[in-house]
Amino acid sequence: MSASEFELLRTVTLGQYLPTASPIHRADPRVKLAAGMLLVLAVTATSSLAGLMLALTLVVAGFAIARIPVGYALSGIKPMLPFLALLGIFQAIAIPQNDANTTVYWRWAFITLTTRDAVAVALLFAKFSALVWGLSLLSFTTTTTELTHGTEHLLRPLQRIGLPAHEFALTLNVALRFIPLLAQETERLMKAQASRGADFGAGRGWNFIRRFRKLIPLLVPLILATLQRAEDLILAMEARCYTGGKGRTHLVHFQARAADYALLALVVVVLAAAVAAGVGSADTLVWRAISTIWR
Amino acid sequence: MSTETVVQSTPARKIVIAGVMGALAVFLGWTHLGFIPWVAGAALTIMHVPVIIGAVLEGPVVGTAIGLIFGLFSLLQAVLAPTGPVDVWFQNPVISVLPRLFIGVVAWLGYKALKNVNEPLALVVAGILGTLTNTVLVLSAIGLFGHLPWGALPPIAIANGLPEAVLAAILTVAVVVAWKRIETGTRKSKM
Amino acid sequence: MTDPLIRMENVTYTYPAGTGKPALAGVSLTVRPGEYIAIVGANGSGKSTLARHLNALLVPDHGDVWVNGWNTRDRAHIRDIRRTVGMVFQVPDNQIVATIVEDDVAFGPENLGVPDAELPARVAQALAAVGLEEHAHRASHLLSAGQKQRLAIAAALAMNPLCLVLDEATAMLDPAGKAELLRTVRRLHDAGTTIVAVTHSMSEAAEADRIVVLAEGHIAAEGTPAQVFADAEVLHQCGLEPPPVARLARLLAGRWPDFPTDILHPEAFADVVHRFLAAPPTAQGTHAAANRAENATAAPPSGEDAEEPWVSLGDVHYTYMRGTPLETHALRGVHMKAHAGETVAIIGPTGSGKSTLLQHLNGLLRPDSGRARVLGHDLTDPRADVRAVRKRVGLVFQQPELQLFERYAGDDVAFGPLAFGASIDRARDCVRRAMNAVGLPFEAYKDRLTLTLSGGERRRLALAGVLALEPQILALDEPTAGLDPRGREDLIALLRQWRTSDRTIVLTTHNMDDVALLADRVYIVADGKIAHVGATRDTFANADLLAEFGLGLPVATALAHALARRGYPIPTNVLTLEELAHAIVRLADERVRV
């Protein structure tokens, strides 16, 4: 047992804002959020290496403009490297490829390494990097407040078609308020129970029943205390005349400038191209190119 | 203070309950408190229990909102901090977000159908139905995208889904019975 | 007379899922513009329920409430009512909606639909009124508890209310935070805001123009502070006690039958004593001698005796979240000892490291460097048997009632003994003894639902959960915080009874009267270091030392200092009102003889 036995919970911090005052930091948070969402969608939708490379280029350019130190950027993908390697091996072993289009480079026992494998691993890696770096860029350059306000403003048009957009944004806001409180509360409960003989260190094995039985005295009071806090917050909101989104005014306003529209347009064009690449034949071309070079 | 007995459901109440239960789902996932190691390196999860509790307390809309937060969080976690090959599949919102939207609705339907018959029983049913919705829909989506062959899914559903349903039912009952001070008839401590 | 701002007529209210007993039973009350009213009562007296009727958070079952002429039943005027009467609640964290300070202040006016262009000015004005203008862009969860409460006031002010209702708003604050909040409220009242303060602190109630005493949903007494405090009998029946100065006046009434019993402030008290002792003495500088005299009866000094102390910390350092941007050095070289049979109080400003220190006593935290021996176990040794230490050092956290988790009271108390491997029968014995010791008789309480116990009962139950381990050392973090006067009195009596020659108590507290009543020795912690250690009496004799760390004095000691400042040879190390009364009487006797 270490001195920081209960401290893992304190590490729950929100966001990782890096104030370098770059043009990306100054960009309209709505645009950044929209760009982030488009990126997730585009990267999930495409399986084209060329398309992913395009998206990746966009993200890397963003990092450069935002002046995020390379170390920060790299640390984002470090945790997944070992498991990417694992995936590569998995791919090589498990999926036999009997495709006319593929070239076998290397064969040992049941392990075969083919072009298709190489491309698959490259694809995975590109997908990961684009997503991780894209969303990290967003959180490095946008404060939590900007994110919540941005979300609310971005969702506002949905309000007009009857979706509870304002309500959802406020819900997210409340959730963000409560996460640090939950961390505090859990730490207190764990310490109090450890003081009364509960042993959170042991029982890590497969004995899940024992583990679950230790969770119950932790989770039940945690949830009940949280509900009690919720009751207080409900009263506080009602005392301050909250009756839903209708007729509310807003302290914070965003003013999109020409640069913001330009940024959005750029992102849309690049990502559209990335998705289109998967539809067209660009992929096959890349594939051929790789095979040729390898030979 | 017995303020929890103010039963009227206002917009503030719906938003706050959705917010705090959403925060709880995120917190359980973030700290890994919501995962219980299970056989063969797999883990059982109770991250969806806040969705069920929220739906039981405040209805299907709140349940859906919590499900959305839970889903968005598992999407973000899969993207930003993947821990295994399965997380790659969860980078697809159809697998990580969409199925979670239905947990609350189904749990609430189960609860509502039985509430007036026997409330503790209704809570057990809500816990089980909510969990099974999660398991079945997520696995179906995984099957749909061809990540796993259809034949592999039912064993997973049984091995993970059933114990998770039991855990969810236990937690839902423990929390809601205490919160709503529902009489369960025993009224005896083990001392 | 002006029209009333709020008028309650014969209000009765019963919580729908409660015990069926009305929380308010026929309460009538009028609040006039510009008044400062205190509503006092023990826990469960209905005072928060009353407060919630003042802005339509609750609507009466019978009777009516009118705010500015609008009936709270009239849903059409609900916004007008809530805008007119702003509310501040007890728990700082639970009333902040937004993650950023200025957003939180804007929340109310945004709901009211105040035009966007007006919002920044409203927010700035409200923040300035509570002195938080510099924090406008900070994350709300990073404020101190006192700042959070001032933020809550600003959030109410931003709606331009005529009246502010404070529902035990100071209960969770340390003395400095409390004082700052009360100054803010006083300033707002002077500027014309009507104040309704719900509290069980009599010294806070003394600030008001009028006090309303609630008991079991009825108004038991009403009047100016002087009138209300003069009737000690009624207050006591309501689970309250008159403010200390009024109690002292009563103690002196035995000697001077015409001694006024309606004094509210220490300085006023000093004036009256001054009058009764006639002229001030000409010769001064005798109070050193007086101190010596009082010292003769002081608690036994617990010096460096031959026996090994039960707790011994040497040069302990501890840092939270080492290696992260949020790194905080909580302890920077703490030395501390506690001996068998001793009660040691750890006091100091919020954030000074008191709780961190306490958590070293049972190995919840282990020193980064330094020495820590507790009951013969070396806690710096990574192989130390921490669980054995935890069994013998019971640690009770702040607000332990929030940590109960079993459905039935008896089961919750049994958690510890069972976790340490006791048989059911053995555990039952421990539980029985512990529950009886805290005044929750085992047979009557073991099958009670924990959630239906009162606040004071739940805190005692949580204490029983620790006592059931039959510890030798009891470590308590803020044991009396948030309790009403009777709950606090019960708890202190219980601790005094528990303590014997082979049991030790270490406690942290913000309440100097707790220290006076319980502790033999005092450690002052400031900035992660021990700034002072001494016998309780000697420590409080040095008012400047305590003031330096923003700490107060026990009430009796503060009064003694006030008299000493006027030149009376009064011992400044008295700890209780009885001691002080005795000293004053002795002084009077001496004067008569001279």
Side-chain angles (χ1 to χ4, degrees):
Chain A
M1 253 191 268
S2 72
S4 54
E5 184 185 348
F6 308 101
E7 213 171 64
L8 74 153
L9 303 166
R10 289 176 173 265
T11 56
V12 179
T13 50
L14 299 172
Q16 41 184 356
Y17 186 67
L18 265 184
T20 60
S22 75
I24 305 236
H25 285 75
R26 284 191 299 274
D28 191 320
R30 292 172 299 177
V31 170
K32 286 189 274 185
L33 261 171
M37 281 187 244
L38 290 174
L39 183 78
V40 174
L41 288 179
V43 169
T44 328
T46 185
S47 309
S48 140
L49 195 55
L52 287 172
M53 286 304 164
L54 214 53
L56 206 52
T57 311
L58 181 75
V59 171
V60 170
F63 264 88
I65 298 169
R67 296 198 297 273
I68 304 294
V70 182
Y72 278 93
L74 289 182
S75 68
I77 55 162
K78 225 188 290 167
M80 66 188 210
L81 286 179
F83 121 79
L84 265 181
L86 201 79
L87 262 177
I89 296 168
F90 179 73
Q91 182 92 19
I93 299 170
I95 306 172
Q97 307 283 353
N98 295 318
D99 198 313
N101 221 341
T102 196
T103 320
V104 176
Y105 307 120
W106 190 58
R107 199 189 289 270
W108 179 77
F110 53 91
I111 301 174
T112 38
L113 193 63
T114 63
T115 328
R116 194 178 275 271
D117 293 337
V119 171
V121 171
L123 261 178
L124 261 178
F125 187 78
K127 235 179 202 191
F128 261 157
S129 317
L131 284 174
V132 170
W133 282 336
L135 294 184
S136 309
L137 182 61
L138 183 63
S139 66
F140 281 139
T141 60
T142 323
T143 62
T144 316
T145 329
E146 286 178 327
L147 283 178
T148 43
H149 283 306
T151 312
E152 180 176 357
H153 286 249
L154 211 52
L155 292 177
R156 225 173 263 170
L158 296 181
Q159 198 87 50
R160 255 166 255 146
I161 58 165
L163 283 174
H166 150 79
E167 281 78 3
F168 188 68
L170 188 55
T171 301
L172 279 183
N173 198 39
V174 170
L176 285 175
R177 273 271 305 122
F178 267 73
I179 288 171
L181 293 177
L182 285 166
Q184 266 173 30
E185 199 91 51
T186 308
E187 184 182 324
R188 271 222 306 254
L189 284 165
M190 284 178 89
K191 282 181 167 176
Q193 286 172 20
S195 299
R196 291 169 68 189
D199 190 350
F200 293 103
R204 279 245 163 88
W206 53 269
N207 190 344
F208 86 101
I209 293 183
R210 212 165 55 194
R211 201 165 141 96
F212 182 68
R213 284 180 55 170
K214 265 174 205 154
L215 265 181
I216 290 254
L218 199 61
L219 289 182
V220 172
L222 176 69
I223 301 176
L224 290 177
T226 305
L227 285 172
Q228 187 61 62
R229 277 185 193 279
E231 290 298 334
D232 284 1
L233 185 61
I234 292 165
L235 275 184
M237 282 172 66
E238 287 182 354
R240 281 151 77 184
C241 296
Y242 182 77
T243 48
K246 225 180 223 148
R248 285 193 91 226
T249 50
H250 300 272
L251 175 69
V252 175
H253 284 272
F254 295 116
Q255 196 64 57
R257 293 154 303 159
D260 292 313
Y261 289 115
L263 177 62
L264 187 62
L266 177 73
V267 169
V268 169
V269 168
V270 173
L271 292 179
V275 175
V279 180
S281 57
D283 234 24
T284 341
L285 289 176
V286 177
W287 210 322
R288 290 225 178 97
I290 291 179
S291 318
T292 325
I293 296 162
W294 195 278
R295 251 184 237 131
Chain B
M1 241 0 90
S2 29
T3 48
E4 59 275 8
T5 51
V6 182
V7 278
Q8 201 178 20
S9 194
T10 59
R13 170 169 297 273
K14 287 193 185 304
I15 282 167
V16 172
I17 298 291
V20 301
M21 286 295 131
L24 190 66
V26 170
F27 178 73
L28 290 177
W30 201 331
T31 57
H32 286 262
L33 267 178
F35 295 98
I36 296 152
W38 179 229
V39 284
L44 301 178
T45 175
I46 45 170
M47 275 176 80
H48 62 288
V49 173
V51 185
I52 298 170
I53 293 175
V56 163
L57 292 178
E58 284 305 318
V61 175
V62 168
T64 309
I66 306 169
L68 180 56
I69 293 177
F70 169 35
L72 288 175
F73 174 73
S74 56
L75 173 70
L76 274 178
Q77 205 178 29
V79 170
L80 290 174
T83 53
V86 176
D87 279 335
V88 182
W89 306 338
F90 281 79
Q91 290 175 353
N92 180 348
V94 178
I95 295 175
S96 53
V97 181
L98 193 64
R100 271 69 191 261
L101 302 181
F102 298 95
I103 302 173
V105 181
V106 175
W108 175 76
L109 285 173
Y111 171 72
K112 200 181 162 226
L114 291 169
K115 187 186 164 198
N116 293 326
V117 181
N118 180 335
E119 198 162 1
L121 177 71
L123 293 169
V124 170
V125 169
I128 292 173
L129 285 182
T131 310
L132 294 183
T133 307
N134 184 39
T135 312
V136 170
L137 291 185
V138 169
L139 286 177
S140 305
I142 287 176
L144 208 63
F145 282 88
H147 295 306
L148 284 175
W150 287 103
L153 299 178
I156 301 180
I158 289 166
N160 262 35
L162 289 187
E164 280 176 4
V166 173
L167 300 187
I170 293 174
L171 260 178
T172 308
V173 171
V175 169
V176 180
V177 160
W179 183 245
K180 296 182 79 183
R181 317 230 164 120
I182 297 167
E183 296 287 342
T184 49
T186 50
R187 273 207 159 300
K188 266 272 186 279
S189 96
K190 57 178 180 279
M191 279 297 103
Chain C
M1 263 197 144
T2 43
D3 282 340
L5 183 59
I6 303 174
R7 195 153 51 91
M8 278 184 108
E9 255 175 34
N10 209 13
V11 167
T12 298
Y13 183 80
T14 309
Y15 283 100
T19 51
K21 214 176 124 225
L24 289 181
V27 171
S28 299
L29 177 72
T30 305
V31 181
R32 295 190 180 282
E35 260 193 310
Y36 189 153
I37 297 185
I39 296 176
V40 300
N43 288 342
S45 59
K47 58 190 190 302
S48 287
T49 310
L50 190 156
R52 282 164 199 184
H53 277 85
L54 300 180
N55 72 345
L57 285 176
L58 292 176
V59 173
D61 295 336
H62 304 287
D64 290 286
V65 181
W66 285 274
V67 174
N68 225 359
W70 299 296
N71 192 312
T72 58
R73 256 183 247 287
D74 181 0
R75 304 312 279 180
H77 287 294
I78 201 126
R79 279 177 170 237
D80 297 314
I81 290 168
R82 290 185 181 164
R83 185 174 54 194
T84 307
V85 180
M87 281 277 251
V88 178
F89 298 88
Q90 182 177 3
V91 187
D93 270 317
N94 299 3
Q95 48 189 318
I96 297 173
V97 180
T99 49
I100 297 291
V101 168
E102 63 169 6
D103 288 343
D104 194 65
V105 178
F107 183 75
E110 285 177 342
N111 292 335
L112 294 175
V114 171
D116 288 350
E118 275 179 40
L119 284 170
R122 280 241 194 162
V123 170
Q125 215 174 0
L127 282 173
V130 300
L132 283 179
E133 55 273 60
E134 281 168 20
H135 300 276
H137 299 288
R138 278 186 75 192
S140 51
H141 75 279
L142 295 178
L143 299 179
S144 74
Q147 288 171 330
K148 282 177 188 162
Q149 288 301 68
R150 281 188 279 143
L151 169 58
I153 292 186
L157 288 180
M159 299 168 71
N160 291 344
L162 296 175
C163 174
L164 211 50
V165 177
L166 304 151
D167 189 359
E168 300 198 52
T170 58
M172 314 280 279
L173 304 184
D174 66 3
K178 213 172 267 191
E180 180 60 49
L181 193 79
L182 289 176
R183 264 198 300 280
T184 306
V185 170
R186 174 55 59 196
R187 226 176 17 242
L188 292 171
H189 179 246
D190 291 344
T193 308
T194 308
I195 305 286
V196 178
V198 172
T199 177
H200 49 233
S201 156
M202 292 299 138
S203 32
E204 274 171 40
E207 296 267 310
D209 308 326
R210 185 151 65 94
I211 296 182
V212 175
V213 183
L214 273 190
E216 298 188 3
H218 301 277
I219 292 183
E222 193 176 352
T224 63
Q227 288 167 344
V228 167
F229 294 143
D231 197 348
E233 196 46 45
V234 167
L235 287 176
H236 193 74
Q237 274 165 16
C238 298
L240 300 167
E241 53 186 17
V245 184
R247 268 182 293 152
L248 186 61
R250 204 151 303 107
L251 287 172
L252 288 171
R255 158 91 191 192
W256 293 307
D258 48 346
F259 198 92
T261 53
D262 58 354
I263 316 170
L264 300 174
H265 298 285
E267 286 307 319
F269 175 82
D271 286 339
V272 176
V273 171
H274 182 74
R275 212 170 64 225
F276 272 79
L277 288 174
T282 44
Q284 286 194 7
T286 39
H287 52 275
N291 272 356
R292 258 200 306 283
E294 204 64 48
N295 256 340
T297 60
S302 43
E304 306 297 312
D305 46 20
E307 257 177 71
E308 193 198 341
W310 280 7
V311 175
S312 168
L313 305 180
D315 198 26
V316 167
H317 287 258
Y318 188 81
T319 304
Y320 286 107
M321 303 187 72
R322 232 184 328 173
T324 73
L326 295 170
E327 182 174 281
T328 20
H329 301 279
L331 299 182
R332 318 158 173 257
V334 162
H335 298 267
M336 192 207 130
K337 284 190 169 70
H339 296 81
E342 232 196 338
T343 297
V344 174
I346 301 168
I347 59 178
T350 302
S352 57
K354 300 189 298 290
S355 297
T356 308
L357 176 53
L358 212 60
Q359 290 173 28
H360 277 79
L361 300 187
N362 75 344
L364 275 182
L365 301 178
R366 309 279 206 102
D368 292 337
S369 68
R371 301 174 305 282
R373 280 187 77 77
V374 176
L375 295 170
H377 294 264
D378 179 1
L379 288 175
T380 50
D381 181 353
R383 291 160 307 169
D385 185 358
V386 210
R387 290 192 79 218
V389 176
R390 287 183 193 159
K391 190 167 178 340
R392 296 166 71 195
V393 183
L395 178 54
V396 183
F397 280 84
Q398 270 182 55
Q399 294 193 285
E401 61 274 21
L402 298 180
Q403 297 165 349
L404 302 174
F405 50 86
E406 286 281 4
R407 206 158 139 64
Y408 299 106
D411 294 351
D412 209 284
V413 179
F415 176 84
L418 293 176
F420 278 112
S423 68
I424 279 277
D425 288 330
R426 168 97 183 93
R428 188 178 294 115
D429 285 343
C430 297
V431 172
R432 184 190 308 271
R433 268 198 298 274
M435 288 183 70
N436 290 341
V438 299
L440 301 172
F442 178 72
E443 292 302 337
Y445 276 86
K446 71 181 168 74
D447 296 330
R448 293 277 300 273
L449 292 173
T450 42
L451 276 171
T452 59
L453 300 179
S454 76
E457 286 173 334
R458 292 180 46 144
R459 182 160 306 186
R460 281 184 281 146
L461 186 73
L463 182 61
V466 172
L467 293 183
L469 296 171
E470 313 200 318
Q472 283 172 276
I473 301 177
L474 194 55
L476 303 136
D477 201 358
E478 297 284 348
T480 62
L483 288 179
D484 65 4
R486 185 167 291 168
R488 176 172 166 268
E489 202 177 294
D490 289 350
L491 189 73
I492 286 177
L494 195 160
L495 290 176
R496 290 172 73 124
Q497 203 178 358
W498 182 81
R499 178 178 57 173
T500 58
S501 60
D502 57 351
R503 284 170 174 174
T504 291
I505 297 178
V506 180
L507 76 153
T508 71
T509 182
H510 284 305
N511 186 325
M512 296 304 131
D513 284 294
D514 290 356
V515 179
L517 289 171
L518 287 167
D520 303 313
R521 278 195 307 136
V522 177
Y523 283 86
I524 299 180
V525 188
D527 206 15
K529 291 193 185 116
I530 301 293
H532 165 90
V533 50
T536 305
R537 236 174 244 292
D538 301 343
T539 305
F540 286 132
N542 190 347
D544 294 341
L545 174 80
L546 288 146
E548 190 186 322
F549 298 105
L551 298 166
L553 289 168
V555 182
T557 322
L559 289 169
H561 279 285
L563 289 172
R565 271 197 299 276
R566 295 180 183 219
Y568 290 106
I570 203 97
T572 52
N573 62 1
V574 292
L575 294 178
T576 62
L577 295 173
E578 286 73 18
E579 280 177 25
L580 178 60
H582 183 70
I584 293 173
V585 168
R586 200 169 57 202
L587 193 64
D589 288 345
E590 276 164 17
R591 275 165 187 268
V592 172
R593 251 178 275 130
V594 169

